[in-house]
Amino acid sequence: MKTEKVVLKNETGLHARPASELTKLASTFKCNINLIAGEKVFNPKSILAVMGAGVRVNTEIEIQCDGEDEEQALQALVEAFNNKFGE
């Protein structure tokens, strides 16, 4: 299992477009992925889970990737968060 922490910098939090971009990206990987924000643990491959988590700007999120392509998934997700999902 690979893990890394990031801070959400999108002003709108994980809503609408950033949530959609996150779900599209996470769904391209075979490994299991979990995001942890405070007490909330959610699957970024599910748009409903991402939107339902209600993650706001400046929240620290731990990304956990476990499986076949975990290293590539972690790298891509960290990059996406750091680039504000192309905002």
Side-chain angles (χ1 to χ4, degrees):
M1 178 185 299
K2 301 282 185 182
T3 66
E4 191 163 333
K5 292 183 179 179
V6 294
V7 175
L8 182 64
K9 294 294 183 186
N10 293 69
E11 292 298 322
T12 59
L14 277 181
H15 293 287
R17 197 189 60 72
S20 174
E21 293 298 318
L22 173 60
T23 300
K24 284 182 204 171
L25 177 61
S27 294
T28 65
F29 297 100
K30 295 177 184 175
C31 65
N32 292 322
I33 304 171
N34 282 315
L35 299 183
I36 303 169
E39 298 296 315
K40 299 173 186 171
V41 178
F42 57 100
N43 180 351
K45 294 181 181 183
S46 164
I47 188 74
L48 293 177
V50 174
M51 298 286 286
V55 180
R56 300 186 187 282
V57 67
N58 295 322
T59 300
E60 183 178 77
I61 299 170
E62 182 177 349
I63 304 168
Q64 295 181 338
C65 300
D66 187 24
E68 180 178 330
D69 51 1
E70 63 188 26
E71 203 159 313
Q72 296 90 341
L74 183 62
Q75 182 179 357
L77 290 169
V78 168
E79 186 175 316
F81 273 98
N82 289 339
N83 291 330
K84 298 184 186 181
F85 301 97
E87 185 176 80

